Amino acid sequence: MESVIRILKNANKEQLLKKTLEKVHDNQELCNSFVTIMDNAKLNPESDSVLSNIPYVLKDNYSTKGILTTGSSNTLKDYIPPFSSTVYEKLSLAGAIMVAKSVMDEFGMGGTGLTGHTGIVRNPWDTSLIAGGSSAGSAASVAAGVVPFAIGSDTGDSVRKPAAHCGIVGYKPTYGMISRWGLLPFASSLDHVGVFARTVSDVAIVVDVLKGKDEKDMTTWDSSNINLEAHLNDSVNGKKLFYFKELCDISFYENPSDDLKKVIEEFNNTINVIKRIGIDVVEESFPKELLDAIPSVYTCISCAEATSNMSNLTGIIFGPRETGNINEMIINHRTLNFSSLIKRRFIIGSYVLQRENQEKYFVNALRVRNRIVRLMKEKFNNYDGLILPCSASHAPKIHGTTDVIRQDLATLENHMAIGNFGGFPSITIPNGMIDGLPIGVNITGNIYDDENVLAIASHIADSMPYEGQIAGDNK
Amino acid sequence: MKLIPTIGIEMHCEMKSFTKVFSPARNTYSKHANNHVSEIDIALPGILPSLNKECIRKSILMASILHCKLPQYIYFDRKNYYYPDLPKGYQITQSHEPIGVNGYIDVPYNDGVLRVDIHDIHLEEDTAKIEHLDTESLINYNRAGVPLLELVTDPVFHSKEEVIAFLEYIRSIYQYTDISEADIRKGQIRCDVNISVGEEGGPFGTRVEIKGVDSFSNIQKVIDIEVKRQMDLINDGKSSSIEQETRRFDEANNRTIRMRGKVDAIDYKYFVEPNIPKIKLDEELVKEITSNIVELPLSRMTRYKDLGINDDVVKVLVRDRKISDYYDEVLKCSVDPIVLSNYVATNIMGYLSKKNIGIQEFKIEPKDLGLLLNKLQKKEISSKQAKEIFEATLNGDTTILKELDNTATQNSNTEELDGIVSNIIKNSPKQVEDYKNGRTNLFNYFVGQVMKETKGSANPEIVKDIISKYLN
């Protein structure tokens, strides 16, 4: 589908900005998507850049010099960074206009959008539902048509899951393609910069701007020979995708819910669509014990890295400084300002790193992670990508939602972490509706194969009627 | 039974580098607090480490000098703990794969050599510096992120003399190789001392660690005090009360104090730093780095001793690489090595210490000193003249030195000089008479006249012979 950004290129940018800010406020009222709204955002001198004066939303875990950056946490509720993330710098340099910074689960640690310090985020399709997390406000604002794109971050599925719940496109490129400099970390080996938009073309355009080696992030690599947008229309005839039988065959589930049945049904419909455009889709098997281990492997590694990454939050150099002697200052700061969900994860992380536990939990988790990644790479020798439903249902209700997931659905709800384990390029596109609410399908390919993955996603999205949809447009 | 102490050393030394090990802030001494600090050093949210290549090169160099086994991949670990001098809440260090392991170094000791086994050497970052005042504490982050090399020996020392010989030699290697200034006054060297006392030939006793000793003289004190404490306990039959523990030196009261025991040892929860990708160690790079190792002091000492220079002078020459380099430069002018060594060790060192300057500020170039000493050696100038030229040059008058250089082709033509001398004698009847009447110091007047006539080119020995012939 044609890029929204390209269409807006010739719009009256002054009107666009004015209208966007109005929509920002509407969306804030409806969904509570934002921590900070840039009411004084100014137009840049119009340039040749494709993003010149295109408004966007930035997740509030990207450092923005001189502008509040909270990570949706009380520990940083007044923190104004003296330096900018590379993502923000690149977008500013390209002339894009940040109109708001979006609410997230505190420091990205959550999948609901309900744990930010400024309150819960609602789904614009139905405000009794979650938008998904952790990049909740970014997803909600793109789904509501506020901005053509928004930046998220993705450690387990924090871009790709909310994209599915909000009926939009969510893409995280290969690990290291975009610099993480200035991104408040959750789990460094799993953290990815990700982009939301309503079309595959738009995420391609934005990542083309963001990607590149950055001397401030040693994990970045030279991707100057990659041009995602230019390859979107490459032929996909004869490409091959696979899916896991263990997750997509309804007979593997005991007492499947109606929602799950519909998800699988829509998935099968999508497979048929894909086959019709000349892409082969094959059922494959993957060791069940490895699939079942994904949530715990993810928990061990992400919590371990998180507890270390967030040890700088003591209130000594920045953040609210508490009283007492030095130990009390640190303890009080962390006790008073972190939510209980985060503290629970810190305790898990600390536990699995303890000398007597490390081998059993953390090191074993690393081993399983490596096994999964190795196996996936073997599959990628024969396939262009893995395709799976993003979730067992449409977005769940706000009321009653927790991060605890039904055991039998745990793998279906968490498999996208495979993309983080291996640093694989991974994209969610909308592929159907259940009771008028969007669901998504995810495609994950081999590292460095982003052009191929996006071309496939683009062709598939073109073959279905969901790309480009805006929440509330049909009402 | 005979009790002997066994000692192992962990030597932390701040590395010299343009920027810090993981940040672009300058690594330099500053009298002001917090003026060499980047957002990385104070761990603002979202920072990432950028590994300094210069520090890696210097680490590889030192590991190679210590004959260590280098790793296949270089990577780092996080050492996690909370302390206000550690802004990130973890220190980036090398725990799983140090830059070098299982090495050794030969240290000059007494008149021989002491071989010290090296457990490992690794690269890490320094912490900030805290100053505790009466009612508050101040933190200076200039030191946060300064590269540190931590060198860990096996428990191989049995006396403080051995320990000090080792530390001094390592310090001189750091200085020779420009890896570190290794300046104790600037607090660049800190040591943890591990001490146990046991029966000679028997198993080691219980190990006690004394942390953060900051000078060589304190290390000697700590060894004396702790060895005595442990020996007294053993001799009193209380050896079981020696606990595996960490202590610190209480300088004011000249004792060591318990910090924590084994049971409350900190669990640092080490794990691999995810933000620094593993770097495959390139053999070519190692070759390139190690092919340029400067000649180390032990090798120079051996070489100087072989030249016949006495031990005390050798020590003076190698104490500072720049002195030794200067010596070697002058030596290239084929001067007598022993004469030169004495000249450097007494005249030059005396001058430098009097002026309180380093050899790099010394005004006589090695080749000029070579020339001067050559003239002296060939008796073309007297040692008195040499001294005068030496002093004149240092006082800024380089003309004599230049003249000396111009007269490199010396006039030793006896016939010609004979003519000149006879003319002078003929034109100086009064001086000749005074001389013959006993004013023998006038002899030098005639030498001077000849030198003046020949613009200093005459061979003074021949001139003297001829003058004697005429006058006596």
Side-chain angles (χ1 to χ4, degrees), chain A residues 180-182 184 188 215 218 308-309 312 326 334 350 355 358, chain B residues 39 43 46 48 50-51 78 80 82 84 266-267 269-270 275 277:
Chain A
R180 289 177 293 120
W181 172 257
L184 312 194
S188 310
E215 59 175 28
M218 293 185 73
S308 172
N309 278 336
N312 63 336
I326 195 70
R334 296 174 71 85
S350 197
R355 199 182 287 125
Q358 193 172 114
Chain B
E39 56 268 19
L48 296 167
S50 276
L51 180 58
R78 290 188 184 177
N80 296 284
Y82 287 95
I266 300 163
D267 180 355
K269 304 189 177 92
Y270 289 99
N275 291 317

PDB file of all heavy atoms in Angstrom, chain A residues 180-182 184 188 215 218 308-309 312 326 334 350 355 358, chain B residues 39 43 46 48 50-51 78 80 82 84 266-267 269-270 275 277:
ATOM      1  N   ARG A 180      20.886   2.108  19.795  1.00  0.00           N
ATOM      2  CA  ARG A 180      20.134   2.209  21.045  1.00  0.00           C
ATOM      3  C   ARG A 180      20.672   3.323  21.942  1.00  0.00           C
ATOM      4  O   ARG A 180      20.234   3.466  23.083  1.00  0.00           O
ATOM      5  CB  ARG A 180      20.205   0.874  21.804  1.00  0.00           C
ATOM      6  CG  ARG A 180      19.416  -0.253  21.170  1.00  0.00           C
ATOM      7  CD  ARG A 180      19.604  -1.557  21.946  1.00  0.00           C
ATOM      8  NE  ARG A 180      20.977  -2.049  21.828  1.00  0.00           N
ATOM      9  CZ  ARG A 180      21.795  -2.231  22.849  1.00  0.00           C
ATOM     10  NH1 ARG A 180      21.399  -1.966  24.080  1.00  0.00           N
ATOM     11  NH2 ARG A 180      23.025  -2.668  22.664  1.00  0.00           N
ATOM     12  N   TRP A 181      21.621   4.096  21.464  1.00  0.00           N
ATOM     13  CA  TRP A 181      22.175   5.174  22.277  1.00  0.00           C
ATOM     14  C   TRP A 181      21.041   6.100  22.746  1.00  0.00           C
ATOM     15  O   TRP A 181      20.268   6.603  21.925  1.00  0.00           O
ATOM     16  CB  TRP A 181      23.195   5.982  21.481  1.00  0.00           C
ATOM     17  CG  TRP A 181      23.651   7.225  22.209  1.00  0.00           C
ATOM     18  CD1 TRP A 181      23.255   8.504  21.963  1.00  0.00           C
ATOM     19  CD2 TRP A 181      24.568   7.296  23.312  1.00  0.00           C
ATOM     20  NE1 TRP A 181      23.876   9.361  22.844  1.00  0.00           N
ATOM     21  CE2 TRP A 181      24.682   8.651  23.687  1.00  0.00           C
ATOM     22  CE3 TRP A 181      25.307   6.334  24.029  1.00  0.00           C
ATOM     23  CZ2 TRP A 181      25.497   9.088  24.731  1.00  0.00           C
ATOM     24  CZ3 TRP A 181      26.129   6.772  25.070  1.00  0.00           C
ATOM     25  CH2 TRP A 181      26.215   8.126  25.403  1.00  0.00           C
ATOM     26  N   GLY A 182      20.943   6.275  24.048  1.00  0.00           N
ATOM     27  CA  GLY A 182      19.927   7.168  24.601  1.00  0.00           C
ATOM     28  C   GLY A 182      18.587   6.511  24.859  1.00  0.00           C
ATOM     29  O   GLY A 182      17.686   7.139  25.399  1.00  0.00           O
ATOM     30  N   LEU A 184      16.434   4.293  27.093  1.00  0.00           N
ATOM     31  CA  LEU A 184      16.516   3.773  28.454  1.00  0.00           C
ATOM     32  C   LEU A 184      16.449   2.255  28.368  1.00  0.00           C
ATOM     33  O   LEU A 184      15.516   1.707  27.796  1.00  0.00           O
ATOM     34  CB  LEU A 184      15.385   4.298  29.337  1.00  0.00           C
ATOM     35  CG  LEU A 184      15.065   5.788  29.337  1.00  0.00           C
ATOM     36  CD1 LEU A 184      14.174   6.115  30.526  1.00  0.00           C
ATOM     37  CD2 LEU A 184      16.296   6.654  29.375  1.00  0.00           C
ATOM     38  N   SER A 188      19.530  -5.221  27.650  1.00  0.00           N
ATOM     39  CA  SER A 188      20.344  -4.756  26.524  1.00  0.00           C
ATOM     40  C   SER A 188      20.494  -5.764  25.390  1.00  0.00           C
ATOM     41  O   SER A 188      20.546  -5.383  24.228  1.00  0.00           O
ATOM     42  CB  SER A 188      21.730  -4.372  27.022  1.00  0.00           C
ATOM     43  OG  SER A 188      21.617  -3.508  28.134  1.00  0.00           O
ATOM     44  N   GLU A 215      28.844   5.179  16.380  1.00  0.00           N
ATOM     45  CA  GLU A 215      30.011   4.911  17.232  1.00  0.00           C
ATOM     46  C   GLU A 215      29.640   4.889  18.714  1.00  0.00           C
ATOM     47  O   GLU A 215      30.402   4.411  19.540  1.00  0.00           O
ATOM     48  CB  GLU A 215      31.124   5.917  16.970  1.00  0.00           C
ATOM     49  CG  GLU A 215      30.704   7.350  17.216  1.00  0.00           C
ATOM     50  CD  GLU A 215      31.865   8.315  17.071  1.00  0.00           C
ATOM     51  OE1 GLU A 215      32.806   8.004  16.291  1.00  0.00           O
ATOM     52  OE2 GLU A 215      31.830   9.367  17.725  1.00  0.00           O
ATOM     53  N   MET A 218      28.145   0.138  20.261  1.00  0.00           N
ATOM     54  CA  MET A 218      29.083  -0.823  19.676  1.00  0.00           C
ATOM     55  C   MET A 218      28.390  -2.005  19.013  1.00  0.00           C
ATOM     56  O   MET A 218      29.025  -2.772  18.290  1.00  0.00           O
ATOM     57  CB  MET A 218      30.041  -1.343  20.745  1.00  0.00           C
ATOM     58  CG  MET A 218      30.989  -0.297  21.273  1.00  0.00           C
ATOM     59  SD  MET A 218      32.174  -1.024  22.410  1.00  0.00           S
ATOM     60  CE  MET A 218      33.221  -1.937  21.273  1.00  0.00           C
ATOM     61  N   SER A 308      20.422  -5.231  36.559  1.00  0.00           N
ATOM     62  CA  SER A 308      21.714  -4.562  36.459  1.00  0.00           C
ATOM     63  C   SER A 308      21.581  -3.210  35.747  1.00  0.00           C
ATOM     64  O   SER A 308      22.086  -2.190  36.220  1.00  0.00           O
ATOM     65  CB  SER A 308      22.677  -5.477  35.696  1.00  0.00           C
ATOM     66  OG  SER A 308      23.875  -4.832  35.409  1.00  0.00           O
ATOM     67  N   ASN A 309      20.853  -3.202  34.629  1.00  0.00           N
ATOM     68  CA  ASN A 309      20.695  -1.962  33.860  1.00  0.00           C
ATOM     69  C   ASN A 309      20.090  -0.834  34.683  1.00  0.00           C
ATOM     70  O   ASN A 309      20.376   0.336  34.439  1.00  0.00           O
ATOM     71  CB  ASN A 309      19.785  -2.206  32.647  1.00  0.00           C
ATOM     72  CG  ASN A 309      20.540  -2.810  31.481  1.00  0.00           C
ATOM     73  OD1 ASN A 309      21.754  -2.663  31.369  1.00  0.00           O
ATOM     74  ND2 ASN A 309      19.820  -3.485  30.600  1.00  0.00           N
ATOM     75  N   ASN A 312      21.470   2.051  38.133  1.00  0.00           N
ATOM     76  CA  ASN A 312      21.861   3.469  38.175  1.00  0.00           C
ATOM     77  C   ASN A 312      20.756   4.331  38.776  1.00  0.00           C
ATOM     78  O   ASN A 312      20.963   5.507  39.048  1.00  0.00           O
ATOM     79  CB  ASN A 312      22.219   3.972  36.767  1.00  0.00           C
ATOM     80  CG  ASN A 312      21.041   3.909  35.808  1.00  0.00           C
ATOM     81  OD1 ASN A 312      20.110   3.125  35.990  1.00  0.00           O
ATOM     82  ND2 ASN A 312      21.083   4.726  34.773  1.00  0.00           N
ATOM     83  N   ILE A 326      23.490   6.905  53.129  1.00  0.00           N
ATOM     84  CA  ILE A 326      23.623   6.594  51.704  1.00  0.00           C
ATOM     85  C   ILE A 326      22.841   5.331  51.334  1.00  0.00           C
ATOM     86  O   ILE A 326      22.180   5.277  50.293  1.00  0.00           O
ATOM     87  CB  ILE A 326      25.114   6.522  51.305  1.00  0.00           C
ATOM     88  CG1 ILE A 326      25.265   6.572  49.796  1.00  0.00           C
ATOM     89  CG2 ILE A 326      25.804   5.301  51.885  1.00  0.00           C
ATOM     90  CD1 ILE A 326      24.943   7.908  49.217  1.00  0.00           C
ATOM     91  N   ARG A 334      14.331   3.504  45.650  1.00  0.00           N
ATOM     92  CA  ARG A 334      13.873   2.373  44.844  1.00  0.00           C
ATOM     93  C   ARG A 334      12.572   1.776  45.400  1.00  0.00           C
ATOM     94  O   ARG A 334      11.738   1.295  44.642  1.00  0.00           O
ATOM     95  CB  ARG A 334      14.984   1.319  44.751  1.00  0.00           C
ATOM     96  CG  ARG A 334      16.209   1.862  44.012  1.00  0.00           C
ATOM     97  CD  ARG A 334      17.383   0.903  44.021  1.00  0.00           C
ATOM     98  NE  ARG A 334      17.170  -0.261  43.182  1.00  0.00           N
ATOM     99  CZ  ARG A 334      17.409  -0.317  41.873  1.00  0.00           C
ATOM    100  NH1 ARG A 334      17.850   0.739  41.240  1.00  0.00           N
ATOM    101  NH2 ARG A 334      17.192  -1.427  41.197  1.00  0.00           N
ATOM    102  N   SER A 350      17.751 -10.691  40.163  1.00  0.00           N
ATOM    103  CA  SER A 350      18.804 -10.810  41.149  1.00  0.00           C
ATOM    104  C   SER A 350      18.958 -12.267  41.579  1.00  0.00           C
ATOM    105  O   SER A 350      20.066 -12.777  41.730  1.00  0.00           O
ATOM    106  CB  SER A 350      18.436  -9.920  42.335  1.00  0.00           C
ATOM    107  OG  SER A 350      19.546  -9.695  43.128  1.00  0.00           O
ATOM    108  N   ARG A 355      25.185 -16.292  42.877  1.00  0.00           N
ATOM    109  CA  ARG A 355      26.244 -17.268  42.634  1.00  0.00           C
ATOM    110  C   ARG A 355      25.703 -18.702  42.639  1.00  0.00           C
ATOM    111  O   ARG A 355      25.996 -19.494  41.759  1.00  0.00           O
ATOM    112  CB  ARG A 355      27.341 -17.095  43.687  1.00  0.00           C
ATOM    113  CG  ARG A 355      28.668 -17.699  43.294  1.00  0.00           C
ATOM    114  CD  ARG A 355      29.702 -17.541  44.411  1.00  0.00           C
ATOM    115  NE  ARG A 355      30.195 -16.181  44.553  1.00  0.00           N
ATOM    116  CZ  ARG A 355      30.164 -15.485  45.693  1.00  0.00           C
ATOM    117  NH1 ARG A 355      29.664 -16.014  46.783  1.00  0.00           N
ATOM    118  NH2 ARG A 355      30.655 -14.267  45.748  1.00  0.00           N
ATOM    119  N   GLN A 358      23.077 -19.090  39.545  1.00  0.00           N
ATOM    120  CA  GLN A 358      23.353 -18.583  38.205  1.00  0.00           C
ATOM    121  C   GLN A 358      23.435 -19.681  37.147  1.00  0.00           C
ATOM    122  O   GLN A 358      22.864 -19.574  36.070  1.00  0.00           O
ATOM    123  CB  GLN A 358      24.645 -17.749  38.213  1.00  0.00           C
ATOM    124  CG  GLN A 358      24.756 -16.967  36.936  1.00  0.00           C
ATOM    125  CD  GLN A 358      25.887 -15.956  36.883  1.00  0.00           C
ATOM    126  OE1 GLN A 358      26.793 -16.130  36.105  1.00  0.00           O
ATOM    127  NE2 GLN A 358      25.831 -14.902  37.664  1.00  0.00           N
TER     128      GLN A 358
ATOM    129  N   GLU B  39      28.246  11.965  30.067  1.00  0.00           N
ATOM    130  CA  GLU B  39      27.017  11.343  30.554  1.00  0.00           C
ATOM    131  C   GLU B  39      27.243   9.855  30.837  1.00  0.00           C
ATOM    132  O   GLU B  39      26.560   9.263  31.675  1.00  0.00           O
ATOM    133  CB  GLU B  39      25.871  11.538  29.543  1.00  0.00           C
ATOM    134  CG  GLU B  39      26.133  11.028  28.134  1.00  0.00           C
ATOM    135  CD  GLU B  39      26.714  12.090  27.211  1.00  0.00           C
ATOM    136  OE1 GLU B  39      27.243  13.098  27.707  1.00  0.00           O
ATOM    137  OE2 GLU B  39      26.644  11.907  25.970  1.00  0.00           O
ATOM    138  N   ALA B  43      26.518   7.729  34.364  1.00  0.00           N
ATOM    139  CA  ALA B  43      25.477   6.710  34.156  1.00  0.00           C
ATOM    140  C   ALA B  43      24.085   7.305  34.011  1.00  0.00           C
ATOM    141  O   ALA B  43      23.132   6.847  34.626  1.00  0.00           O
ATOM    142  CB  ALA B  43      25.504   5.680  35.287  1.00  0.00           C
ATOM    143  N   GLY B  46      20.233   5.473  29.552  1.00  0.00           N
ATOM    144  CA  GLY B  46      20.366   5.348  28.104  1.00  0.00           C
ATOM    145  C   GLY B  46      21.788   5.394  27.574  1.00  0.00           C
ATOM    146  O   GLY B  46      21.992   5.291  26.374  1.00  0.00           O
ATOM    147  N   LEU B  48      25.601   4.062  26.730  1.00  0.00           N
ATOM    148  CA  LEU B  48      26.207   2.781  26.351  1.00  0.00           C
ATOM    149  C   LEU B  48      27.725   2.960  26.365  1.00  0.00           C
ATOM    150  O   LEU B  48      28.216   4.045  26.063  1.00  0.00           O
ATOM    151  CB  LEU B  48      25.766   2.375  24.937  1.00  0.00           C
ATOM    152  CG  LEU B  48      24.278   2.105  24.713  1.00  0.00           C
ATOM    153  CD1 LEU B  48      23.982   2.028  23.221  1.00  0.00           C
ATOM    154  CD2 LEU B  48      23.874   0.810  25.398  1.00  0.00           C
ATOM    155  N   SER B  50      31.539   2.774  25.048  1.00  0.00           N
ATOM    156  CA  SER B  50      32.303   2.679  23.795  1.00  0.00           C
ATOM    157  C   SER B  50      33.739   2.341  24.152  1.00  0.00           C
ATOM    158  O   SER B  50      34.428   3.133  24.782  1.00  0.00           O
ATOM    159  CB  SER B  50      32.275   4.017  23.043  1.00  0.00           C
ATOM    160  OG  SER B  50      31.121   4.117  22.288  1.00  0.00           O
ATOM    161  N   LEU B  51      34.161   1.177  23.768  1.00  0.00           N
ATOM    162  CA  LEU B  51      35.473   0.681  24.196  1.00  0.00           C
ATOM    163  C   LEU B  51      36.604   1.455  23.518  1.00  0.00           C
ATOM    164  O   LEU B  51      36.621   1.613  22.300  1.00  0.00           O
ATOM    165  CB  LEU B  51      35.567  -0.812  23.872  1.00  0.00           C
ATOM    166  CG  LEU B  51      36.864  -1.529  24.230  1.00  0.00           C
ATOM    167  CD1 LEU B  51      37.162  -1.397  25.721  1.00  0.00           C
ATOM    168  CD2 LEU B  51      36.762  -2.999  23.860  1.00  0.00           C
ATOM    169  N   ARG B  78      30.027  -7.574  33.781  1.00  0.00           N
ATOM    170  CA  ARG B  78      29.552  -6.598  34.755  1.00  0.00           C
ATOM    171  C   ARG B  78      29.732  -7.165  36.152  1.00  0.00           C
ATOM    172  O   ARG B  78      29.355  -8.302  36.419  1.00  0.00           O
ATOM    173  CB  ARG B  78      28.071  -6.299  34.535  1.00  0.00           C
ATOM    174  CG  ARG B  78      27.794  -5.538  33.282  1.00  0.00           C
ATOM    175  CD  ARG B  78      26.330  -5.129  33.258  1.00  0.00           C
ATOM    176  NE  ARG B  78      25.996  -4.465  32.005  1.00  0.00           N
ATOM    177  CZ  ARG B  78      24.774  -4.057  31.703  1.00  0.00           C
ATOM    178  NH1 ARG B  78      23.786  -4.260  32.569  1.00  0.00           N
ATOM    179  NH2 ARG B  78      24.540  -3.464  30.561  1.00  0.00           N
ATOM    180  N   ASN B  80      28.337  -6.386  39.652  1.00  0.00           N
ATOM    181  CA  ASN B  80      27.196  -5.614  40.153  1.00  0.00           C
ATOM    182  C   ASN B  80      27.258  -5.371  41.652  1.00  0.00           C
ATOM    183  O   ASN B  80      27.326  -6.327  42.436  1.00  0.00           O
ATOM    184  CB  ASN B  80      25.901  -6.376  39.841  1.00  0.00           C
ATOM    185  CG  ASN B  80      25.660  -6.523  38.345  1.00  0.00           C
ATOM    186  OD1 ASN B  80      25.266  -5.579  37.679  1.00  0.00           O
ATOM    187  ND2 ASN B  80      25.933  -7.714  37.815  1.00  0.00           N
ATOM    188  N   TYR B  82      26.091  -1.953  44.693  1.00  0.00           N
ATOM    189  CA  TYR B  82      25.672  -0.566  44.907  1.00  0.00           C
ATOM    190  C   TYR B  82      26.692   0.171  45.762  1.00  0.00           C
ATOM    191  O   TYR B  82      27.043  -0.289  46.851  1.00  0.00           O
ATOM    192  CB  TYR B  82      24.315  -0.522  45.619  1.00  0.00           C
ATOM    193  CG  TYR B  82      23.152  -0.904  44.742  1.00  0.00           C
ATOM    194  CD1 TYR B  82      22.667  -2.201  44.718  1.00  0.00           C
ATOM    195  CD2 TYR B  82      22.553   0.038  43.916  1.00  0.00           C
ATOM    196  CE1 TYR B  82      21.599  -2.558  43.901  1.00  0.00           C
ATOM    197  CE2 TYR B  82      21.486  -0.304  43.103  1.00  0.00           C
ATOM    198  CZ  TYR B  82      21.016  -1.596  43.106  1.00  0.00           C
ATOM    199  OH  TYR B  82      19.966  -1.934  42.300  1.00  0.00           O
ATOM    200  N   PRO B  84      27.964   4.597  46.143  1.00  0.00           N
ATOM    201  CA  PRO B  84      27.828   5.905  45.483  1.00  0.00           C
ATOM    202  C   PRO B  84      28.992   6.279  44.554  1.00  0.00           C
ATOM    203  O   PRO B  84      28.830   7.167  43.719  1.00  0.00           O
ATOM    204  CB  PRO B  84      27.723   6.902  46.643  1.00  0.00           C
ATOM    205  CG  PRO B  84      27.825   6.135  47.886  1.00  0.00           C
ATOM    206  CD  PRO B  84      27.844   4.684  47.601  1.00  0.00           C
ATOM    207  N   ILE B 266      30.702 -10.320  49.324  1.00  0.00           N
ATOM    208  CA  ILE B 266      29.694  -9.792  48.405  1.00  0.00           C
ATOM    209  C   ILE B 266      29.554 -10.709  47.185  1.00  0.00           C
ATOM    210  O   ILE B 266      30.544 -11.175  46.639  1.00  0.00           O
ATOM    211  CB  ILE B 266      30.108  -8.380  47.939  1.00  0.00           C
ATOM    212  CG1 ILE B 266      30.236  -7.448  49.148  1.00  0.00           C
ATOM    213  CG2 ILE B 266      29.107  -7.822  46.945  1.00  0.00           C
ATOM    214  CD1 ILE B 266      31.000  -6.183  48.875  1.00  0.00           C
ATOM    215  N   ASP B 267      28.312 -10.982  46.800  1.00  0.00           N
ATOM    216  CA  ASP B 267      28.064 -11.724  45.556  1.00  0.00           C
ATOM    217  C   ASP B 267      27.881 -10.699  44.446  1.00  0.00           C
ATOM    218  O   ASP B 267      26.885  -9.991  44.389  1.00  0.00           O
ATOM    219  CB  ASP B 267      26.802 -12.578  45.720  1.00  0.00           C
ATOM    220  CG  ASP B 267      26.485 -13.367  44.458  1.00  0.00           C
ATOM    221  OD1 ASP B 267      27.189 -13.176  43.443  1.00  0.00           O
ATOM    222  OD2 ASP B 267      25.531 -14.169  44.495  1.00  0.00           O
ATOM    223  N   LYS B 269      27.441 -11.093  41.310  1.00  0.00           N
ATOM    224  CA  LYS B 269      26.497 -11.459  40.248  1.00  0.00           C
ATOM    225  C   LYS B 269      27.039 -11.139  38.859  1.00  0.00           C
ATOM    226  O   LYS B 269      26.376 -10.537  38.020  1.00  0.00           O
ATOM    227  CB  LYS B 269      25.153 -10.740  40.449  1.00  0.00           C
ATOM    228  CG  LYS B 269      24.526 -10.999  41.819  1.00  0.00           C
ATOM    229  CD  LYS B 269      23.110 -10.451  41.875  1.00  0.00           C
ATOM    230  CE  LYS B 269      22.440 -10.757  43.192  1.00  0.00           C
ATOM    231  NZ  LYS B 269      22.622  -9.683  44.199  1.00  0.00           N
ATOM    232  N   TYR B 270      28.262 -11.551  38.629  1.00  0.00           N
ATOM    233  CA  TYR B 270      28.913 -11.284  37.349  1.00  0.00           C
ATOM    234  C   TYR B 270      28.105 -11.829  36.176  1.00  0.00           C
ATOM    235  O   TYR B 270      27.582 -12.940  36.248  1.00  0.00           O
ATOM    236  CB  TYR B 270      30.280 -11.970  37.288  1.00  0.00           C
ATOM    237  CG  TYR B 270      31.331 -11.359  38.170  1.00  0.00           C
ATOM    238  CD1 TYR B 270      31.626 -11.917  39.411  1.00  0.00           C
ATOM    239  CD2 TYR B 270      32.053 -10.246  37.756  1.00  0.00           C
ATOM    240  CE1 TYR B 270      32.617 -11.378  40.230  1.00  0.00           C
ATOM    241  CE2 TYR B 270      33.050  -9.704  38.558  1.00  0.00           C
ATOM    242  CZ  TYR B 270      33.322 -10.270  39.787  1.00  0.00           C
ATOM    243  OH  TYR B 270      34.299  -9.727  40.580  1.00  0.00           O
ATOM    244  N   ASN B 275      26.524  -4.959  26.020  1.00  0.00           N
ATOM    245  CA  ASN B 275      26.645  -3.827  25.098  1.00  0.00           C
ATOM    246  C   ASN B 275      27.992  -3.738  24.390  1.00  0.00           C
ATOM    247  O   ASN B 275      28.194  -2.850  23.561  1.00  0.00           O
ATOM    248  CB  ASN B 275      26.361  -2.516  25.844  1.00  0.00           C
ATOM    249  CG  ASN B 275      24.900  -2.405  26.233  1.00  0.00           C
ATOM    250  OD1 ASN B 275      24.022  -2.714  25.436  1.00  0.00           O
ATOM    251  ND2 ASN B 275      24.637  -2.015  27.467  1.00  0.00           N
ATOM    252  N   PRO B 277      30.188  -6.042  22.045  1.00  0.00           N
ATOM    253  CA  PRO B 277      30.257  -7.326  21.344  1.00  0.00           C
ATOM    254  C   PRO B 277      31.632  -7.969  21.529  1.00  0.00           C
ATOM    255  O   PRO B 277      32.626  -7.267  21.702  1.00  0.00           O
ATOM    256  CB  PRO B 277      30.040  -6.951  19.869  1.00  0.00           C
ATOM    257  CG  PRO B 277      29.588  -5.534  19.859  1.00  0.00           C
ATOM    258  CD  PRO B 277      30.035  -4.910  21.137  1.00  0.00           C
TER     259      PRO B 277
END
